[in-house]
């Protein structure tokens, strides 16, 4: 079964770039699924960051779009996230997740069925 | 699209029937999922398409609703169900989550 594992620096300086990767095992990132990032600030709820598919198509949260790049590396079976010009407000646990799809008639239902364990990123000097 | 869950906190007991409500600021048909999150863990998918139980999730969990009002029901609360529950809309970008409902003993 598909498993996801996030990795990257746990500490990023203000105004720097947050770079994370998500290794996909037990399946291929080149499948028809979409792949997403979600974050959770300390003591807060969940925030959808954005998503990509194996063709490189992306959808981003407008609140982060100007600073955000999400991509896939098929050769490494890996998802990545880059967030520039970070501030303390970007301190959070970052999760990668798979968007699975079920079709009921002519309706396409997406949902996040597999998640990584999450990685804590702190923005501080 | 804003999702508002109620209540935000709920004191409950083992064996209780629990209902959590999620209201959307505009109609989302049945493009809604429910997740359970325990401290220090990733969310776990319970229900998608508003009422379809994810494989492996106990049948005491059920979901209903369409349009702007949805409910997650736990028919008989078990000790492992004390957690925070989130709804998520997948109708329009940006996908959004409710603020969460924490079940406490």
């Amino acid at each position: 079964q598909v498993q996801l594992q996030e990795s990257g620096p746990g500490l990023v300086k203000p105004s720097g770039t947050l770079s994370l990767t998500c290794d996909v095992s037990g399946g291929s990132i080149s499948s028809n699924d979409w792949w997403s990032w979600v974050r959770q600030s300390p003591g807060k709820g969940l925030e959808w960051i954005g998503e990509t598919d194996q063709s490189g198509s992306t959808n981003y949260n407008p609140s982060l779009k100007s600073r955000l790049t999400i991509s896939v590396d098929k050769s490494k079976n890996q998802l990545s996230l880059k967030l520039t010009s970070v501030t303390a407000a970007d301190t959070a646990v970052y999760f990668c997740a798979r968007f699975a799809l079920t079709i009921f008639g002519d309706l396409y239902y997406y949902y996040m069925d597999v998640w990584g364990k999450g990685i804590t990123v702190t923005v501080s000097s | 699209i804003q999702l508002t869950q109620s209540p935000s906190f709920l004191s409950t007991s083992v064996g209780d029937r629990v209902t959590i409500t999620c209201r959307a600021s505009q109609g989302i048909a049945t493009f809604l999922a429910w997740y359970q999150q325990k401290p220090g863990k990733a969310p776990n998918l319970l229900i998608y398409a508003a009422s379809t139980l994810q494989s492996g999730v106990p049948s005491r969990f059920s979901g209903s609703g369409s349009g702007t009002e949805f409910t997650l029901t736990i028919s008989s609360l078990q000790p492992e169900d004390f957690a925070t529950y989130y709804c998520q809309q997948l109708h329009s970008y940006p996908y959004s989550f409710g603020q969460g409902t924490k079940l406490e003993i």
Side-chain angles (χ1 to χ4, degrees), chain A residues 38-94:
Chain A
V38 173
R39 70 181 183 180
Q40 186 167 35
S41 302
K44 299 280 183 66
L46 299 163
E47 179 182 25
W48 178 76
I49 296 172
E51 64 181 7
T52 187
D53 74 352
Q54 56 89 20
S55 74
S57 297
T58 55
N59 294 291
Y60 295 154
N61 192 320
S63 67
L64 298 168
K65 187 173 183 177
S66 63
R67 302 189 289 131
L68 181 63
T69 303
I70 295 175
S71 60
V72 297
D73 185 329
K74 296 179 189 179
S75 66
K76 295 181 179 178
N77 216 33
Q78 209 173 57
L79 173 70
S80 69
L81 174 150
K82 283 187 173 27
L83 187 65
T84 62
S85 304
V86 296
T87 70
D90 295 310
T91 293
V93 177
Y94 286 76

Side-chain angles (χ1 to χ4, degrees), chain A residues 38 40 44-48 51 59 61-62 95 99 102 104 107-113 115-117, chain B residues 30-31 33 35 37 40-45 48-49 52 54 86 88 90 93-99:
Chain A
V38 173
Q40 186 167 35
K44 299 280 183 66
L46 299 163
E47 179 182 25
W48 178 76
E51 64 181 7
N59 294 291
N61 192 320
F95 299 97
F99 259 121
T102 292
F104 291 140
L107 295 178
Y108 288 62
Y109 289 98
Y110 285 94
Y111 45 90
M112 296 176 178
D113 68 333
W115 294 67
K117 293 182 178 180
Chain B
T30 53
F31 294 97
Y35 302 88
Q37 187 180 33
K41 300 291 188 182
N44 180 50
L45 176 70
Y48 61 94
T52 303
Q54 169 69 349
Y86 295 92
Q88 181 196 25
L90 299 113
Y93 293 114
Y95 295 148
S96 49
F97 292 88
Q99 84 279 13

Side-chain angles (χ1 to χ4, degrees), chain B residues 53-66:
Chain B
L53 198 66
Q54 169 69 349
S55 175
V57 174
S59 59
R60 62 180 179 273
F61 292 92
S62 64
S64 66
S66 67

Side-chain angles (χ1 to χ4, degrees), chain B residues 8-89:
Chain B
S8 295
F9 297 92
L10 186 59
S11 289
T12 58
S13 300
V14 173
D16 282 357
R17 180 181 179 87
V18 168
T19 298
I20 299 169
T21 298
C22 176
R23 289 188 173 86
S25 59
Q26 63 190 74
I28 58 170
T30 53
F31 294 97
L32 187 101
W34 289 96
Y35 302 88
Q36 175 194 68
Q37 187 180 33
K38 296 181 179 178
K41 300 291 188 182
N44 180 50
L45 176 70
L46 300 174
I47 285 167
Y48 61 94
S51 61
T52 303
L53 198 66
Q54 169 69 349
S55 175
V57 174
S59 59
R60 62 180 179 273
F61 292 92
S62 64
S64 66
S66 67
T68 61
E69 186 152 335
F70 302 85
T71 59
L72 173 70
T73 299
I74 309 172
S75 60
S76 178
L77 207 62
Q78 298 302 299
E80 61 267 30
D81 300 336
F82 289 95
T84 301
Y85 293 83
Y86 295 92
C87 56
Q88 181 196 25
Q89 67 83 16

